[in-house]
């Protein structure tokens, strides 16, 4: 499986083995877990699997409904048995960077409500030290420049060096968000999350040796809605590489 797309599909489908009839299942967001959602829909249609899903984004909600997964609001359930989600990076302690798809806030809410978190990933996602993938921070549009300034000061104090960029989507056009007008630039219009927030991507390089301390520090800033560090949440990774899918379990 040298092809990355084939690895994503293999990992996404393999992880479905943890899902049994009667479970409440968190449905992650992204191009890997998409295969999980499709496979669960197939098992519902062809094998009589009975589950209730909770999507972590509007995109996943749409896909889940298309493939026939019954959905519920988290608040109407007594917790989740498992969430299956993708990741942008994971390290040897199973700490994650997520949010490349912009769904980090809902993904973390769903993960915290779940008894277990299973991650699906292709071979590129395993790292020694987190941070080569830019760390996403979801912030409120209100006074976002001030929040960015506060975060810059925090990072300088903690010894992190690197650009902090407002995430943009490719399409041009302005976005009005919570009274703030975001103009397009040559990189496009501003990316707005399902929650009406914006995202800062922090380009630190592979230097996050204390992800728990960094998460705590970032969350102390009032304008921060969530940070894409998922610490002590992941129980196992279904990792696909050219040799096949291996299951890495946290001890
Ligand atoms: C979305 C996420 C995704 O799970 C993460 O970006 C991985 O996505 P992909 O499987 O497409 O690489 O965190 O917010």
């Amino acid at each position: 499986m040298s092809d990355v797309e084939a690895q994503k599909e293999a990992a996404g489908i393999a992880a479905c083995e943890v899902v049994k009839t009667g479970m409440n299942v968190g449905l992650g967001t992204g191009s890997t877990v998409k295969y999980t959602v499709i496979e669960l829909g197939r098992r519902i249609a062809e094998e009589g699997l009975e589950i209730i899903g909770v999507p972590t984004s509007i995109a996943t909600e749409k896909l889940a409904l298309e493939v026939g997964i019954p959905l519920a609001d988290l608040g109407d359930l007594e917790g989740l048995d498992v969430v299956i989600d993708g990741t942008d990076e994971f390290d040897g302690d199973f700490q994650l960077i997520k949010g490349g798809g912009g769904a980090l806030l809902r993904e973390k809410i769903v993960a915290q409500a779940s008894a277990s978190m299973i991650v699906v990933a292709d071979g590129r996602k395993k790292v020694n030290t987190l941070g080569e993938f830019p760390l996403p921070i979801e912030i409120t549009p209100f006074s976002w420049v001030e929040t960015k300034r506060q975060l810059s000061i925090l990072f300088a104090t903690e010894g992190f060096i690197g650009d902090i960029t407002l995430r943009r989507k490719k399409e041009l056009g302005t976005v009005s968000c919570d009274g703030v007008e975001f103009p397009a630039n040559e990189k496009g219009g501003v990316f707005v999350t399902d929650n009406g927030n914006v995202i800062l991507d922090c380009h630190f390089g592979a230097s996050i040796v204390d992800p728990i301390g960094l998460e705590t520090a970032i969350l102390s800033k009032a304008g921060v809605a969530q940070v894409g560090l998922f610490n002590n949440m992941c129980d196992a990774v279904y990792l696909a590489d050219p040799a096949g899918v291996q299951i890495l379990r946290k001890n």
Side-chain angles (χ1 to χ4, degrees):
M1 278 190 301
S2 53
D3 172 49
V4 170
E5 199 59 34
Q7 291 178 25
K8 290 181 182 193
E9 182 173 9
I13 291 176
C16 291
E17 69 182 13
V18 304
V19 178
K20 315 282 184 216
T21 277
M23 283 186 167
N24 297 333
V25 181
L27 306 170
T29 296
S31 60
T32 313
V33 80
K34 157 184 102 176
Y35 291 108
T36 305
V37 175
I38 292 169
E39 171 66 4
L40 292 176
R42 187 199 65 74
R43 283 177 57 192
I44 288 169
E46 296 178 11
E47 299 174 5
L49 178 72
E50 292 181 18
I51 60 169
I52 294 174
V54 172
T56 54
S57 64
I58 293 170
T60 296
E61 179 179 2
K62 187 166 172 286
L63 176 62
L65 290 173
E66 274 169 22
V67 301
I69 301 177
L71 301 180
D73 287 338
L74 203 45
D76 294 332
L77 301 174
E78 299 283 321
L80 301 179
D81 297 286
V82 66
V83 58
I84 304 177
D85 207 342
T87 193
D88 297 301
E89 286 186 349
F90 71 96
D91 70 10
D93 295 324
F94 291 68
Q95 315 293 39
L96 317 175
I97 286 184
K98 285 182 51 54
L104 61 155
L105 176 54
R106 295 188 188 196
E107 287 172 336
K108 204 183 267 193
I109 292 170
V110 171
Q112 281 187 345
S114 185
S116 166
M117 181 181 195
I118 304 296
V119 160
V120 289
D122 64 75
R124 302 168 305 166
K125 307 292 181 72
K126 191 170 188 297
V127 300
N128 291 325
T129 306
L130 298 173
E132 192 58 44
F133 188 92
L135 177 65
I137 304 179
E138 181 164 345
I139 66 169
T140 58
F142 172 78
S143 284
W144 73 275
V145 174
E146 173 57 21
T147 300
K148 182 182 174 190
R149 186 182 297 129
Q150 289 183 16
L151 287 168
S152 300
I153 294 166
L154 168 73
F155 295 145
T157 311
E158 303 269 334
F160 287 102
I161 302 161
D163 287 346
I164 304 175
T165 54
L166 184 65
R167 186 177 297 183
R168 293 184 178 272
K169 53 184 182 176
K170 291 195 176 68
E171 303 90 67
L172 295 172
T174 59
V175 176
S176 178
C177 185
D178 198 25
V180 180
E181 196 70 25
F182 291 98
N185 68 6
E186 72 283 356
K187 290 182 185 151
V190 166
F191 177 91
V192 176
T193 71
D194 288 350
N195 317 300
N197 294 319
V198 297
I199 290 183
L200 299 176
D201 290 307
C202 305
H203 302 254
F204 295 143
S207 57
I208 304 176
V209 292
D210 177 16
I212 295 175
L214 185 59
E215 179 188 21
T216 304
I218 292 170
L219 291 176
S220 73
K221 299 300 172 191
V224 172
Q226 197 47 255
V227 57
L229 287 165
F230 284 50
N231 292 312
N232 300 337
M233 291 183 151
C234 172
D235 297 295
V237 179
Y238 281 66
L239 178 68
D241 62 20
V245 179
Q246 52 178 318
I247 307 169
L248 309 178
R249 294 185 203 283
K250 191 172 176 186
N251 295 325

